[in-house]
Amino acid sequence: MHTFLDCFAFMAGHFGLLLDRTIDHLLLSAAAVALALVLALPLGVWLGHRGRGSFLTVSVSNIGRALPSLALIAIFLGLLGIGFVNVMTALVVMAVPPALTHAYLSVEQIDRDVVRAARGMGLTERQILTRIELPLALPVLFTGIRIAAVYVISSATLAAVAGGGGLGDIILNQVSYGLSGVIAAALWVAALALAADALFGMLGTRIARGRYGGGR
Amino acid sequence: MNSAADIVFDEATKTYPGSVRPALDALSLTVPAGEICVLLGSSGCGKTTALTLVNRLTELTGGDIRIDGTSIREQDVIALRRGIGYVIQQAGLFPHLTIAQNIATVPQVLGWPKPRIEDRVRELLELVGLPHGEYGDRYPAQLSGGQQQRVGIARALAADPPIMLMDEPFGALDPVTREHMQDEFLRLHAQVRKTTLFVSHDIDEAVRMGDRIAVLAEGGKLLQYDTPERILHAPADDYVARFVGTDRGLKALTLRRLSDLTLEPYAGGANGTALRADDSLRTALSALLAAGADRLPVTDADGHPVGTVTVDLIREAA
Ligand SMILES: Nc1ncnc2c1ncn2[C@@H]1O[C@H](COP(=O)(O)OP(=O)(O)O)[C@@H](O)[C@H]1O
Ligand SMILES: [Mg+2]
């Protein structure tokens, strides 16, 4: 209990340091999430549009679920050695399954009659995608982005192992910062993950609500 | 754009991949410009297949379909579809777009100028009985099933296509709304005269809606293509006879109105029991039976007497 309170003293005393590491942490996370989205979203949306690929997303997401994220990173680093690129790769690999699954589902779950009507009235495949499918997919798509972001922010702590910086630097360095520093940084990571969750959640509901004019 | 075109099915055949028997087997029939042709049959006999072959949501595997003499195979598929209105059972409205935006979709992708699109949307909403001021900015979820289907029809008519394809458009509506929508569509069709292919599994609907009825059976075989009168009076075989039902004699009466008969002279009669000249013979017979009478007075829409109908007159007409 004592150390728990001490950690707030640590936060007050090392605010600059925490802020600095937070920025590193977020930049690293953002880069990993962005890279994962660039890979996963177009593929997932395309598979959803074609109505194919359920097997793929199911298996990919199961791999993602079956392997705890930290273990995944450990395997990665064990296999490939520690290094910034490898940590980044591990984070991206973790973010892809939820992003890909949700991108696929976001399009695949759209009422087939709606798409059939669009195609039947002579919209091109591109118009079906941009005018109909993507707007209807956005809420679920955002859920995928949100989950990917939370995964990555909580796991980016591991970057410190590879000298990647971020809040992990503090968490993994009890010698320098003491137990209160470790707990303080860990709390910050948790807070960041929660904040990202809330932020994307809010964006998602805004998008969903802005249009539809009430439930179905 | 021309207001109607004829559709010719020429041995049109579809065999789905992985299936040995065709879903539609060498269908040949002509739908004259401006008429409503009902594709009638029980579930799985190839009605939807026949319909979607026309707008190439399904591709032919044999034979041909021609619209105004031009094979659909020779046309760009997107241009072909934009010239064909398509209405499906659950309307398939775009839930994220307003009613006005839904209807404006095809004119938009055709690149119509904005004012023309707005005028057209207004005109169509008026046509289907949903005033723009009240409904234009609503979303599909805020409309009843019947209203959604009206919007579906307005959307299909947006670019004034010569052809309408309707796949069980009223199938999901309750019986009262369905009958109302059938009447509305007939009224609307009388105004716009689109060549219409209308899928139904309901003989009563087919008799009401169709200028002609194509009865399809399992395996996509055409059993009979004829006017509703001929289908009811002279079914081609036992299957058609069974499909149209043992009460086909009564159904046939729905096709004729009292005004079609040469009535006996007006001779007075019980007030309040009078039939109207635009009542069907079926309604008249029902009224005669209910009243336990063998003759009833008939008036015009304004209540002026026009004659007397008798049970014998109806029997002769049937
Ligand atoms: N996309 C498809 N792939 C394979 N078979 C199909 C497909 N669509 C329809 N069928 C089959 O073709 C037959 C006719 O179907 P359909 O035209 O939908 O009938 P209906 O509209 O009269 O109920 C059915 O046996 C159905 O299972
Ligand atoms: Mg069908």
Side-chain angles (χ1 to χ4, degrees), chain A residues 113-114 116-124 127 131-132 135-136 210-216, chain B residues 48 52 55 57 78 81-82 86 88 90 92-96 105-106 108-109 139 141-142 155:
Chain A
D113 276 352
V114 167
R116 189 179 176 79
R119 189 167 285 124
M121 68 174 64
L123 299 197
T124 62
Q127 286 165 339
R131 286 168 176 259
I132 311 299
L136 290 172
R211 306 161 183 227
Y212 296 64
R216 275 212 83 171
Chain B
T48 296
T52 52
N55 64 6
L57 283 179
I78 299 297
R81 288 174 185 163
R82 288 178 186 174
Y86 183 45
I88 57 179
Q90 305 279 3
L93 298 183
F94 307 135
H96 60 302
T105 304
V106 173
Q108 268 171 8
V109 298
Y139 287 86
Q142 296 167 318
R155 185 176 67 174

Side-chain angles (χ1 to χ4, degrees), chain B residues 21-41:
Chain B
R21 288 185 354 135
L24 190 71
D25 194 359
L27 176 68
S28 290
L29 58 80
T30 298
V31 188
E35 287 201 358
I36 300 177
C37 165
V38 177
L39 298 170
L40 177 68

Side-chain angles (χ1 to χ4, degrees), chain B residues 43-44 46-49 167-168 199:
Chain B
S43 180
K47 306 181 297 291
T48 296
T49 300
D167 197 347
E168 310 208 20
V199 166

